[in-house]
Amino acid sequence: MAYHLHQDRRLYYMECGDGIPVLLLHGICNSGRAWLPQLPALNAAGYRAILPDLAGHGASASLNQPYGVPELAADCLALLDHLRIAAVYVVGLSLGGMAAQQLALAAPERVRSLTVANSFCSTTGAEAQALLDDWRQTLRGEDGPLRRLEASWPRNVNAAFRASDAGRQLYLQWHAQAAQADGPSQAWVCEGLRCFDISGRLSAIRAPSLYLSAECDAVSPPEIGRWMAGQVTGARHISLAGAAHVANIDSADAFNAALLAFLQTH
């Protein structure tokens, strides 16, 4: 079954592989398909990948009001209940990393380990608020998701990947996905993110944690990931050389190696 219901909202997810479950949470304006480069490595290592489309994204239900990180984390818990999974390895990038941290705080007994990539623990600063306002305005306009993708692609992946055959093919795929996306719903997520701030609660995270940064990330620079890791007892921080914001895409081999090395020790 590709859908589950939570609070009368129909939410889409995919599963791939057998073994130990890993929940992979995508970034804003994307979908679970963003994790395709991780699936062969995870499956070969004996992991079952669970890939939800977050509310307002992909094939999941649309939104008509602000939808923040606590709501996204609650959807993830409902999915685990639906799948009858007691505890899971949680991996999140950008928006997905915010939801992953929230999940680790809200239901620590459900999180076997936490991997947070190129993410944030707060969006209440002036720079983040301005970025969210810009995204929200763009997404509510005509062809908003397309215009956001076209503007953000050069910042989200590194130049080498953009110039590669794989990069050009992926851009075409994501462009088609953006053309079908629900811009107003994604704008409601941007609205819900405006009050996100767990910066004072990171020390309460108890799950073994890995914070991944990307050397060339202009959205969430490595110092943010380094600082967050420093607040979580025992957390590791790794910066991926040459990678940009969507590092699991443009630097998939390095990302997979770091992720698997961490998962296999927890």
Side-chain angles (χ1 to χ4, degrees), residues 84-233:
R84 298 181 180 180
I85 295 174
V88 66
Y89 294 115
V90 181
V91 182
L93 185 141
S94 198
L95 170 63
M98 300 183 217
Q101 292 174 104
Q102 183 76 45
L103 183 57
L105 288 167
E109 73 283 359
R110 309 298 293 272
V111 179
R112 295 182 62 168
S113 76
L114 173 68
T115 301
V116 178
N118 303 340
S119 193
F120 306 88
C121 60
S122 176
T123 56
T124 58
E127 184 175 352
Q129 293 281 302
L131 187 63
L132 289 170
D133 287 344
D134 178 66
W135 289 353
R136 184 179 53 187
Q137 183 176 358
T138 298
L139 290 166
R140 285 185 173 146
E142 185 177 3
D143 298 325
L146 272 177
R147 291 192 291 117
R148 184 187 176 277
L149 173 68
E150 291 169 353
S152 64
W153 181 254
R155 180 176 55 184
N156 281 342
V157 294
N158 62 29
F161 183 77
R162 293 198 307 272
S164 69
D165 288 343
R168 287 190 288 267
Q169 290 170 11
L170 186 68
Y171 178 75
L172 293 176
Q173 293 168 11
W174 283 19
H175 201 273
Q177 177 177 276
Q180 301 174 67
D182 184 343
S185 285
Q186 294 174 357
W188 282 123
V189 176
C190 292
E191 181 73 29
L193 289 177
R194 289 182 58 84
C195 59
F196 175 67
D197 187 357
I198 57 168
S199 56
R201 300 175 59 203
L202 292 177
S203 61
I205 292 176
R206 293 292 175 260
S209 300
L210 170 65
Y211 283 78
L212 291 173
S213 296
E215 180 185 25
C216 304
D217 189 353
V219 181
S220 176
E223 54 265 28
I224 294 178
R226 188 176 300 112
W227 185 87
M228 291 192 293
Q231 310 309 303
V232 179
T233 301

Side-chain angles (χ1 to χ4, degrees), residues 18-20 38-48 256 260-261 263-264:
D18 300 307
I20 304 169
Q38 280 61 61
L39 297 187
L42 285 170
N43 293 164
Y47 295 98
R48 166 191 174 192
N256 293 346
L260 285 173
L263 294 181
Q264 289 167 349

Side-chain angles (χ1 to χ4, degrees), residues 239-252:
S239 182
L240 302 176
H245 186 59
V246 191
N248 72 300
I249 296 291
D250 71 13
S251 303

